mmCIF file of all heavy atoms in Angstrom:
data_model
loop_
_atom_site.group_PDB
_atom_site.id
_atom_site.type_symbol
_atom_site.label_atom_id
_atom_site.label_comp_id
_atom_site.label_asym_id
_atom_site.label_seq_id
_atom_site.Cartn_x
_atom_site.Cartn_y
_atom_site.Cartn_z
ATOM 1 N N LYS A 1 -57.783 170.971 101.122
ATOM 2 C CA LYS A 1 -59.188 171.221 101.446
ATOM 3 C C LYS A 1 -59.858 172.071 100.372
ATOM 4 O O LYS A 1 -59.194 172.757 99.592
ATOM 5 C CB LYS A 1 -59.287 171.978 102.792
ATOM 6 C CG LYS A 1 -58.681 171.265 103.964
ATOM 7 C CD LYS A 1 -59.544 170.110 104.373
ATOM 8 C CE LYS A 1 -58.992 169.421 105.609
ATOM 9 N NZ LYS A 1 -59.504 168.096 105.749
ATOM 10 N N GLN A 2 -61.158 172.062 100.378
ATOM 11 C CA GLN A 2 -61.934 172.923 99.497
ATOM 12 C C GLN A 2 -61.436 174.361 99.645
ATOM 13 O O GLN A 2 -61.220 174.848 100.752
ATOM 14 C CB GLN A 2 -63.415 172.844 99.841
ATOM 15 C CG GLN A 2 -64.287 173.740 98.984
ATOM 16 C CD GLN A 2 -65.761 173.642 99.360
ATOM 17 O OE1 GLN A 2 -66.167 172.800 100.141
ATOM 18 N NE2 GLN A 2 -66.553 174.528 98.796
ATOM 19 N N GLY A 3 -61.226 175.015 98.527
ATOM 20 C CA GLY A 3 -60.783 176.403 98.527
ATOM 21 C C GLY A 3 -59.272 176.581 98.450
ATOM 22 O O GLY A 3 -58.785 177.667 98.130
ATOM 23 N N ASP A 4 -58.487 175.534 98.760
ATOM 24 C CA ASP A 4 -57.030 175.630 98.629
ATOM 25 C C ASP A 4 -56.652 175.806 97.161
ATOM 26 O O ASP A 4 -57.386 175.361 96.254
ATOM 27 C CB ASP A 4 -56.345 174.348 99.129
ATOM 28 C CG ASP A 4 -56.375 174.183 100.634
ATOM 29 O OD1 ASP A 4 -56.805 175.126 101.342
ATOM 30 O OD2 ASP A 4 -55.986 173.090 101.103
ATOM 31 N N VAL A 5 -55.508 176.398 96.913
ATOM 32 C CA VAL A 5 -55.008 176.488 95.539
ATOM 33 C C VAL A 5 -54.715 175.070 95.059
ATOM 34 O O VAL A 5 -53.951 174.328 95.688
ATOM 35 C CB VAL A 5 -53.736 177.362 95.453
ATOM 36 C CG1 VAL A 5 -53.136 177.298 94.052
ATOM 37 C CG2 VAL A 5 -54.055 178.805 95.827
ATOM 38 N N LEU A 6 -55.348 174.696 93.969
ATOM 39 C CA LEU A 6 -55.158 173.375 93.391
ATOM 40 C C LEU A 6 -54.143 173.436 92.255
ATOM 41 O O LEU A 6 -53.181 172.674 92.228
ATOM 42 C CB LEU A 6 -56.493 172.814 92.889
ATOM 43 C CG LEU A 6 -56.447 171.420 92.280
ATOM 44 C CD1 LEU A 6 -55.961 170.391 93.289
ATOM 45 C CD2 LEU A 6 -57.833 171.041 91.752
ATOM 46 N N THR A 7 -54.371 174.359 91.305
ATOM 47 C CA THR A 7 -53.449 174.505 90.175
ATOM 48 C C THR A 7 -53.209 175.976 89.869
ATOM 49 O O THR A 7 -54.041 176.839 90.181
ATOM 50 C CB THR A 7 -53.983 173.810 88.898
ATOM 51 O OG1 THR A 7 -55.238 174.378 88.545
ATOM 52 C CG2 THR A 7 -54.114 172.305 89.086
ATOM 53 N N VAL A 8 -52.059 176.230 89.252
ATOM 54 C CA VAL A 8 -51.676 177.574 88.837
ATOM 55 C C VAL A 8 -51.147 177.486 87.414
ATOM 56 O O VAL A 8 -50.246 176.681 87.134
ATOM 57 C CB VAL A 8 -50.566 178.149 89.748
ATOM 58 C CG1 VAL A 8 -50.171 179.541 89.297
ATOM 59 C CG2 VAL A 8 -50.993 178.150 91.203
ATOM 60 N N LEU A 9 -51.716 178.277 86.523
ATOM 61 C CA LEU A 9 -51.176 178.366 85.169
ATOM 62 C C LEU A 9 -50.107 179.447 85.154
ATOM 63 O O LEU A 9 -50.316 180.541 85.681
ATOM 64 C CB LEU A 9 -52.276 178.704 84.167
ATOM 65 C CG LEU A 9 -53.441 177.720 84.076
ATOM 66 C CD1 LEU A 9 -54.465 178.213 83.053
ATOM 67 C CD2 LEU A 9 -52.958 176.327 83.731
ATOM 68 N N PHE A 10 -48.953 179.138 84.566
ATOM 69 C CA PHE A 10 -47.882 180.128 84.482
ATOM 70 C C PHE A 10 -46.982 179.817 83.301
ATOM 71 O O PHE A 10 -47.068 178.732 82.716
ATOM 72 C CB PHE A 10 -47.089 180.208 85.787
ATOM 73 C CG PHE A 10 -46.385 178.945 86.219
ATOM 74 C CD1 PHE A 10 -45.029 178.765 85.966
ATOM 75 C CD2 PHE A 10 -47.060 177.955 86.912
ATOM 76 C CE1 PHE A 10 -44.370 177.620 86.380
ATOM 77 C CE2 PHE A 10 -46.414 176.808 87.331
ATOM 78 C CZ PHE A 10 -45.061 176.632 87.067
ATOM 79 N N THR A 11 -46.156 180.766 82.940
ATOM 80 C CA THR A 11 -45.143 180.549 81.918
ATOM 81 C C THR A 11 -43.778 180.836 82.527
ATOM 82 O O THR A 11 -43.628 181.704 83.381
ATOM 83 C CB THR A 11 -45.347 181.445 80.682
ATOM 84 O OG1 THR A 11 -45.352 182.808 81.114
ATOM 85 C CG2 THR A 11 -46.638 181.133 79.959
ATOM 86 N N VAL A 12 -42.793 180.085 82.080
ATOM 87 C CA VAL A 12 -41.400 180.289 82.447
ATOM 88 C C VAL A 12 -40.627 180.413 81.141
ATOM 89 O O VAL A 12 -40.605 179.466 80.348
ATOM 90 C CB VAL A 12 -40.842 179.114 83.274
ATOM 91 C CG1 VAL A 12 -39.357 179.306 83.553
ATOM 92 C CG2 VAL A 12 -41.600 178.953 84.565
ATOM 93 N N LEU A 13 -40.061 181.599 80.902
ATOM 94 C CA LEU A 13 -39.309 181.839 79.673
ATOM 95 C C LEU A 13 -40.137 181.474 78.441
ATOM 96 O O LEU A 13 -39.637 180.901 77.485
ATOM 97 C CB LEU A 13 -37.987 181.072 79.705
ATOM 98 C CG LEU A 13 -37.024 181.526 80.794
ATOM 99 C CD1 LEU A 13 -36.033 180.438 81.148
ATOM 100 C CD2 LEU A 13 -36.300 182.790 80.369
ATOM 101 N N GLY A 14 -41.430 181.773 78.502
ATOM 102 C CA GLY A 14 -42.325 181.512 77.384
ATOM 103 C C GLY A 14 -42.880 180.096 77.318
ATOM 104 O O GLY A 14 -43.686 179.787 76.452
ATOM 105 N N ILE A 15 -42.460 179.222 78.226
ATOM 106 C CA ILE A 15 -42.919 177.829 78.223
ATOM 107 C C ILE A 15 -44.155 177.709 79.117
ATOM 108 O O ILE A 15 -44.100 178.034 80.306
ATOM 109 C CB ILE A 15 -41.815 176.884 78.738
ATOM 110 C CG1 ILE A 15 -40.587 176.972 77.840
ATOM 111 C CG2 ILE A 15 -42.329 175.450 78.842
ATOM 112 C CD1 ILE A 15 -39.368 176.261 78.393
ATOM 113 N N PRO A 16 -45.275 177.232 78.563
ATOM 114 C CA PRO A 16 -46.479 177.099 79.385
ATOM 115 C C PRO A 16 -46.348 175.961 80.396
ATOM 116 O O PRO A 16 -45.892 174.868 80.068
ATOM 117 C CB PRO A 16 -47.578 176.813 78.366
ATOM 118 C CG PRO A 16 -46.889 176.297 77.156
ATOM 119 C CD PRO A 16 -45.501 176.849 77.172
ATOM 120 N N CYS A 17 -46.716 176.265 81.633
ATOM 121 C CA CYS A 17 -46.643 175.284 82.722
ATOM 122 C C CYS A 17 -47.928 175.346 83.536
ATOM 123 O O CYS A 17 -48.651 176.338 83.522
ATOM 124 C CB CYS A 17 -45.475 175.604 83.648
ATOM 125 S SG CYS A 17 -43.855 175.586 82.876
ATOM 126 N N ILE A 18 -48.168 174.279 84.248
ATOM 127 C CA ILE A 18 -49.217 174.257 85.248
ATOM 128 C C ILE A 18 -48.596 173.700 86.523
ATOM 129 O O ILE A 18 -47.915 172.675 86.498
ATOM 130 C CB ILE A 18 -50.454 173.431 84.799
ATOM 131 C CG1 ILE A 18 -51.568 173.531 85.828
ATOM 132 C CG2 ILE A 18 -50.089 171.999 84.495
ATOM 133 C CD1 ILE A 18 -52.908 172.989 85.334
ATOM 134 N N GLY A 19 -48.768 174.411 87.608
ATOM 135 C CA GLY A 19 -48.306 173.935 88.902
ATOM 136 C C GLY A 19 -49.454 173.241 89.588
ATOM 137 O O GLY A 19 -50.534 173.815 89.743
ATOM 138 N N LEU A 20 -49.254 172.013 89.987
ATOM 139 C CA LEU A 20 -50.277 171.212 90.643
ATOM 140 C C LEU A 20 -49.879 170.994 92.097
ATOM 141 O O LEU A 20 -48.799 170.463 92.371
ATOM 142 C CB LEU A 20 -50.417 169.853 89.951
ATOM 143 C CG LEU A 20 -51.255 168.793 90.662
ATOM 144 C CD1 LEU A 20 -52.713 169.222 90.751
ATOM 145 C CD2 LEU A 20 -51.125 167.455 89.965
ATOM 146 N N ASN A 21 -50.703 171.420 93.014
ATOM 147 C CA ASN A 21 -50.468 171.165 94.438
ATOM 148 C C ASN A 21 -50.963 169.764 94.765
ATOM 149 O O ASN A 21 -52.048 169.569 95.295
ATOM 150 C CB ASN A 21 -51.162 172.224 95.298
ATOM 151 C CG ASN A 21 -50.373 173.506 95.339
ATOM 152 O OD1 ASN A 21 -49.152 173.503 95.260
ATOM 153 N ND2 ASN A 21 -51.079 174.623 95.464
ATOM 154 N N GLY A 22 -50.152 168.788 94.408
ATOM 155 C CA GLY A 22 -50.545 167.394 94.542
ATOM 156 C C GLY A 22 -50.163 166.739 95.843
ATOM 157 O O GLY A 22 -50.493 165.585 96.064
ATOM 158 N N GLY A 23 -49.404 167.443 96.686
ATOM 159 C CA GLY A 23 -49.013 166.866 97.964
ATOM 160 C C GLY A 23 -47.593 166.332 97.944
ATOM 161 O O GLY A 23 -46.847 166.523 96.990
ATOM 162 N N PRO A 24 -47.213 165.638 99.011
ATOM 163 C CA PRO A 24 -45.826 165.210 99.190
ATOM 164 C C PRO A 24 -45.436 163.911 98.488
ATOM 165 O O PRO A 24 -44.279 163.488 98.572
ATOM 166 C CB PRO A 24 -45.715 165.052 100.707
ATOM 167 C CG PRO A 24 -47.091 164.627 101.112
ATOM 168 C CD PRO A 24 -48.023 165.403 100.199
ATOM 169 N N ALA A 25 -46.345 163.270 97.783
ATOM 170 C CA ALA A 25 -46.071 161.933 97.245
ATOM 171 C C ALA A 25 -44.951 161.896 96.213
ATOM 172 O O ALA A 25 -44.192 160.931 96.158
ATOM 173 C CB ALA A 25 -47.355 161.348 96.634
ATOM 174 N N PHE A 26 -44.809 162.928 95.386
ATOM 175 C CA PHE A 26 -43.819 162.912 94.313
ATOM 176 C C PHE A 26 -42.902 164.110 94.429
ATOM 177 O O PHE A 26 -43.346 165.216 94.738
ATOM 178 C CB PHE A 26 -44.500 162.905 92.942
ATOM 179 C CG PHE A 26 -45.383 161.710 92.727
ATOM 180 C CD1 PHE A 26 -46.758 161.840 92.750
ATOM 181 C CD2 PHE A 26 -44.841 160.450 92.533
ATOM 182 C CE1 PHE A 26 -47.585 160.746 92.571
ATOM 183 C CE2 PHE A 26 -45.653 159.341 92.350
ATOM 184 C CZ PHE A 26 -47.031 159.487 92.368
#
């Protein structure tokens, strides 16, 4: 829904990542 966390930028051991809350499909 509107306002839910959609994406999060983060790094793991210096590696840039983006977490996408895309749902249960994958």
Side-chain angles (χ1 to χ4, degrees):
K1 301 287 183 200
Q2 179 180 351
D4 288 353
V5 173
L6 181 61
T7 59
V8 180
L9 300 179
F10 61 99
T11 57
V12 176
L13 296 157
I15 299 170
C17 300
I18 185 168
L20 169 65
N21 281 329
F26 300 107

